[in-house]
Amino acid sequence: MENNTVLTLYHAPHSRSSRIIRLIDELDIWTQVEIRVVGVARQDGSGGHDPKNPHPEGKVPLLVHDGIEIWESNAIILYLTDLFPDAGMGPVAGDPQRGRYLSWLAWYGNVVEPVIVIAAAEVSHPILDVTFRGVPEMTSRLVKALEQSPFLMGDKFTAADLLMVSPFTWFPASAPDHPAIKAWIERCEAQPSAQRTAEYETRQLEQDVLA
């Protein structure tokens, strides 16, 4: 990919878009992404609609490339790992592991995040259980994968791990209490990008205070 590629990411510190910041660091594409910080509604009632945020629902992340909007974290992660394949953060089309990678990204959005949110809201209903499964099923699936290899795709940390681990690092209480999962979280957070992302987020918050 040419070095003059410029993308725009709409980002709110300490939000779901923080995992895209971490991916930018892993891909080493800081100079190719313009990051625009916007406000969002927060779970504690703070924040709200920001007219500078073009996301149709006022959320983050939102990536814009050549006028085309890409939304949803798993879609953005797939888009960026395909656009910048040299970093090796995700198998490209034709790789035998491509299907496994796509499945983890989709499973996160279709199952993991709904299960975590439903559990946090303490909501229970047979339709939800049948549709999304529950924390025990989610835990079992992760444990089975992590007992076979240190990361979801094998021996190497990839964007599948980056996405999947994100809710457990923001909301540690949601992390399943299983040694295989706890060790995986520690391995993911030992990657240098975790600390660099935290430092970046701190700088952004400090700039907001000074503004």
Side-chain angles (χ1 to χ4, degrees):
M1 184 57 57
E2 295 181 5
N3 290 332
N4 61 359
T5 298
V6 176
L7 305 101
T8 302
L9 175 70
Y10 291 86
H11 165 61
H14 296 298
S15 74
R16 286 175 173 83
S17 60
S18 299
R19 52 199 174 199
I20 309 303
I21 296 294
R22 184 174 183 183
L23 181 60
I24 288 170
D25 186 82
E26 286 282 354
L27 297 174
D28 193 20
I29 55 171
W30 288 103
T31 61
Q32 292 167 269
V33 183
E34 177 188 359
I35 299 171
R36 298 184 184 179
V37 176
V38 297
V40 293
R42 301 285 183 170
Q43 291 183 6
D44 61 2
S46 63
H49 174 71
D50 186 341
K52 300 189 300 295
N53 184 1
H55 192 295
E57 299 166 26
K59 296 182 178 183
V60 290
L62 178 71
L63 183 71
V64 180
H65 187 200
D66 290 339
I68 302 298
E69 296 179 349
I70 304 101
W71 65 96
E72 299 299 329
S73 292
N74 41 9
I76 293 171
I77 287 171
L78 177 60
Y79 191 86
L80 288 176
T81 55
D82 279 359
L83 194 62
F84 299 98
D86 291 347
M89 285 297 288
V92 297
D95 188 301
Q97 293 297 317
R98 174 73 167 187
R100 183 182 179 188
Y101 175 60
L102 297 180
S103 295
W104 282 125
L105 296 184
W107 189 66
Y108 175 83
N110 295 342
V111 175
V112 174
E113 190 154 309
V115 164
I116 291 173
V117 171
I118 290 167
E122 299 181 345
V123 175
S124 179
H125 193 282
I127 293 177
L128 295 175
D129 294 339
V130 171
T131 302
F132 299 114
R133 281 76 81 191
V135 172
E137 291 83 1
M138 177 192 74
T139 301
S140 177
R141 187 74 177 274
L142 284 173
V143 168
K144 183 178 179 180
L146 294 169
E147 286 180 338
Q148 296 174 7
S149 59
F151 296 104
L152 295 176
M153 293 296 298
D155 293 333
K156 183 178 183 296
F157 177 78
T158 69
D161 300 286
L162 185 154
L163 175 62
M164 197 74 66
V165 80
S166 58
F168 305 138
T169 56
W170 303 332
F171 183 38
S174 69
D177 187 16
H178 190 284
I181 294 178
K182 289 183 175 180
W184 166 68
I185 293 172
E186 291 179 0
R187 287 192 294 272
C188 290
E189 290 306 283
Q191 303 296 313
S193 62
Q195 181 61 35
R196 289 194 294 258
T197 300
E199 292 170 354
Y200 174 86
E201 299 278 76
T202 298
R203 289 195 301 271
Q204 287 296 319
L205 291 175
E206 290 174 347
Q207 289 174 14
D208 287 346
V209 171
L210 294 174

